[in-house]
Amino acid sequence: SMAPTLYGRHKEVTCEQCKYPYSVGASDELVNDWLDSGARLDSAYCPNCRHSSNVHDLPVFKGDRILVNKFPYEFGQPRRWDVAVFKFPEEPNTNYIKRLVGLPGETLVIRRGDLYRQFPDGSREILRKDDPGKQQALQILVFDNDFPETGLHERGWPSRWTAVRSDLDAPEAIAGWVDDPDSWQQLDAGRRFRLTGAAASADLKWLRYRNIVPEPETWTEAGQLPQRALPQLVSDFCGYNAYEGGHGSGRDQDSFWVGDLTLSCEIHVDEVGPDGRVVLELVEGRRRLRAVFDLVTGDVRITSRIDLNRNGDEEESLGQASSGINGPGRYNVRFTNVDDRLCLWIDGDLLELGPGASYTRDQTEYPGPGPADLVPVGIAASGVNLTVNHLLIQRDIYYRGEQVIDALTRAANPLSRAEIDDPTGLLQHRDDPRSWSELYEKTAEEAVFTLGPDEYMMLGDNSPKSKD
């Protein structure tokens, strides 16, 4: 329940197609801690490309061994986001390990995958991971471009990263973007992208990620590629839980939209013109969040814009810092939008962006996904010649509300509530943000918990498989 922070019994897999290395949980092969030879895992789904690999005969690893320090809470109080071992009152002979998220006397709400603290007047505040390093430890893969879906590309499957230009009226446009073959050049089978001849241009040239995710069936030889592969919302797919065999339910339905994303990449700047700039963009709903680098001064500015109309609203400045990127060189950049907070790392160093980077949403802001969430990440440049590679997109943990069934009575716990009773409909509408949002708003439930004076709330880092 704490994967990927802490692994239990698992198998380590290298995808047979894209070669991405990943781990898949194997605890469902056991009954009362003993191996059931008839319940071996048969296959696992790659979190990067969704190909189904044979894992039946792979060796099993018991998982992380944990050294527990019993004394810190003798001298200080438990802190939110601590990983702690405790005795669960209903099973006092069992040690549990979870992450502490709620403190005594608090009212907590799980809403749209995030945690909120609710105050007596009904107002709420989002609970951010206090340390951005902890936030990074909880990140889950969306797509690593160092491991492309080469086998599908050879059959005509589109690349997820591509050069685009804005064209709101083109019938083939995806969220207002169409292919632009005359700007960014693909290198190394699409693992790297180069922009040349731009040092004298003032127009931004865009490279964008389209969340075009194949189904496992797409990989079969008999699988027919669709005439037009459509992008979909980034979901809470968790590769650690995605397998066939064992005693588990197999593939977990990844129906829920995740808007909190992280972009990591390496930028190699070759030549900078007098107005050279690079822009990183993360989209969440109607909000576009950007890190705008001035490659002449070395400053970076963080901005937000809410798209309410065709032309978009005015940009709001959220913070500014010196980035150190002010000329030719190689730079590792990570830009995150998690829990309504923007963070930016340059070569592993976290920049101080100021209090505005922890932004507050207006209560009237539309909470659901929009068309731009189908192409939620972008890189643009003007007045500069450069190459980008090692493109990696990750997402934040999505906390689910689930109906808990008592193991003895088989009755539903009256305090628990499923976020949505039947996620199948959401699954079918992931390529249509409007329909997905309408269905979610019509059927979704919040989970609300009020803690007593001696009560703490614990959640696992693998929310779909946590016994919380």
Side-chain angles (χ1 to χ4, degrees):
S1 70
M2 284 299 291
T5 307
L6 297 169
Y7 282 152
R9 189 178 190 273
H10 67 281
K11 295 187 176 187
E12 295 182 357
V13 188
T14 298
C15 177
E16 296 168 351
Q17 286 290 338
C18 74
K19 309 305 179 185
Y20 182 80
Y22 63 98
S23 298
V24 61
S27 297
D28 278 335
E29 292 184 338
L30 303 179
V31 175
N32 296 325
D33 294 329
W34 290 91
L35 176 65
D36 181 352
S37 58
R40 300 282 291 275
L41 296 192
D42 296 318
S43 58
Y45 298 102
C46 175
N48 196 56
C49 75
R50 303 298 194 268
H51 179 266
S52 175
S53 293
N54 187 343
V55 301
H56 186 275
D57 296 325
L58 290 182
V60 174
F61 298 90
K62 291 185 176 180
D64 293 316
R65 300 177 67 86
I66 301 163
L67 182 65
V68 179
N69 185 347
K70 296 185 177 182
F71 302 109
Y73 296 153
E74 296 291 338
F75 304 101
Q77 294 299 312
R79 297 174 301 173
R80 198 187 318 275
W81 307 117
D82 282 352
V83 175
V85 177
F86 61 97
K87 300 288 187 181
F88 180 44
E90 295 182 16
E91 298 179 21
N93 294 325
T94 303
N95 288 323
Y96 278 73
I97 181 165
K98 304 282 185 183
R99 192 176 296 274
L100 193 159
V101 302
L103 301 173
E106 292 183 336
T107 295
L108 298 181
V109 180
I110 300 177
R111 179 178 182 271
R112 290 184 172 273
D114 289 324
L115 287 170
Y116 295 84
R117 178 168 54 189
Q118 181 167 294
F119 298 101
D121 64 359
S123 62
R124 297 175 178 178
E125 71 171 0
I126 195 167
L127 294 177
R128 302 183 176 99
K129 290 77 175 177
D130 53 355
D131 177 0
K134 289 184 181 180
Q135 169 184 303
Q136 188 60 28
L138 291 170
Q139 297 288 281
I140 299 171
L141 177 74
V142 175
F143 183 64
D144 189 337
N145 195 58
D146 285 349
F147 301 89
E149 300 126 327
T150 304
L152 289 182
H153 298 329
E154 292 172 348
R155 296 167 55 192
W157 186 263
S159 298
R160 301 202 206 184
W161 282 96
T162 190
V164 295
R165 58 181 173 81
S166 177
D167 190 336
L168 299 174
D169 298 317
E172 73 276 15
I174 298 174
W177 298 99
V178 296
D179 289 351
D180 183 14
D182 297 326
S183 58
W184 292 85
Q185 177 187 5
Q186 284 194 18
L187 304 174
D188 192 18
R191 291 177 175 85
R192 297 186 296 133
F193 295 86
R194 177 182 294 165
L195 185 63
T196 59
S201 173
D203 296 328
L204 284 173
K205 304 295 185 182
W206 281 96
L207 180 70
R208 295 202 74 89
Y209 171 78
R210 307 170 297 180
N211 194 43
I212 303 176
V213 183
E215 295 294 331
E217 296 75 21
T218 311
W219 283 100
T220 63
E221 291 185 6
Q224 297 296 313
L225 298 185
Q227 290 185 345
R228 187 184 183 196
L230 296 175
Q232 58 187 245
L233 298 173
V234 174
S235 73
D236 66 332
F237 181 90
C238 183
Y240 194 79
N241 307 330
Y243 51 80
E244 299 292 345
H247 293 101
S249 58
R251 238 171 112 193
D252 184 49
Q253 287 196 343
D254 49 318
S255 304
F256 297 105
W257 166 60
V258 185
D260 287 2
L261 302 178
T262 295
L263 166 65
S264 302
C265 63
E266 182 181 85
I267 301 176
H268 188 188
V269 178
D270 297 315
E271 181 184 358
V272 178
D275 298 310
R277 58 178 171 151
V278 171
V279 178
L280 307 183
E281 181 179 85
L282 300 173
V283 173
E284 184 179 11
R286 300 294 192 268
R287 188 180 288 266
R288 295 178 180 271
L289 299 148
R290 290 182 174 180
V292 183
F293 295 86
D294 186 323
L295 300 190
V296 177
T297 67
D299 291 338
V300 59
R301 187 167 57 93
I302 307 300
T303 68
S304 171
R305 189 184 75 185
I306 299 177
D307 289 338
L308 296 178
N309 52 53
R310 188 178 179 90
N311 297 318
D313 279 1
E314 184 178 348
E315 275 191 336
E316 174 188 4
S317 181
L318 301 181
Q320 189 164 335
S322 174
S323 72
I325 303 179
N326 60 349
R330 193 183 301 268
Y331 308 96
N332 289 295
V333 181
R334 185 164 75 243
F335 183 39
T336 75
N337 170 39
V338 174
D339 299 332
D340 296 350
R341 178 176 62 186
L342 301 174
C343 296
L344 182 63
W345 285 262
I346 306 296
D347 293 332
D349 294 328
L350 178 65
L351 300 188
E352 178 55 56
L353 299 175
S358 297
Y359 58 91
T360 301
R361 295 174 181 268
D362 190 282
Q363 292 298 315
T364 62
E365 185 173 335
Y366 178 71
D373 289 288
L374 301 175
V375 284
V377 182
I379 301 174
S382 67
V384 58
N385 295 334
L386 76 167
T387 303
V388 296
N389 61 350
H390 302 312
L391 291 156
L392 171 66
I393 298 177
Q394 297 168 295
R395 66 169 179 87
D396 187 26
I397 183 174
Y398 187 100
Y399 288 112
R400 292 185 181 183
E402 295 286 1
Q403 184 77 61
V404 178
I405 306 299
D406 187 276
L408 296 178
T409 66
R410 307 306 302 168
N413 186 311
L415 297 179
S416 65
R417 180 177 296 172
E419 183 170 358
I420 190 167
D421 290 330
D422 182 10
T424 305
L426 295 179
L427 197 69
Q428 296 170 345
H429 290 288
R430 285 179 303 173
D431 61 352
D432 184 349
R434 183 186 298 275
S435 298
W436 186 97
S437 190
E438 289 176 352
L439 181 60
Y440 183 88
E441 292 294 341
K442 185 185 301 182
T443 57
E445 299 270 6
E446 296 180 343
V448 182
F449 305 90
T450 298
L451 306 182
D454 293 323
E455 293 182 334
Y456 295 85
M457 184 170 176
M458 315 293 289
L459 294 179
D461 288 355
N462 181 358
S463 187
K465 286 289 187 178
S466 294
K467 193 174 184 180
D468 296 331

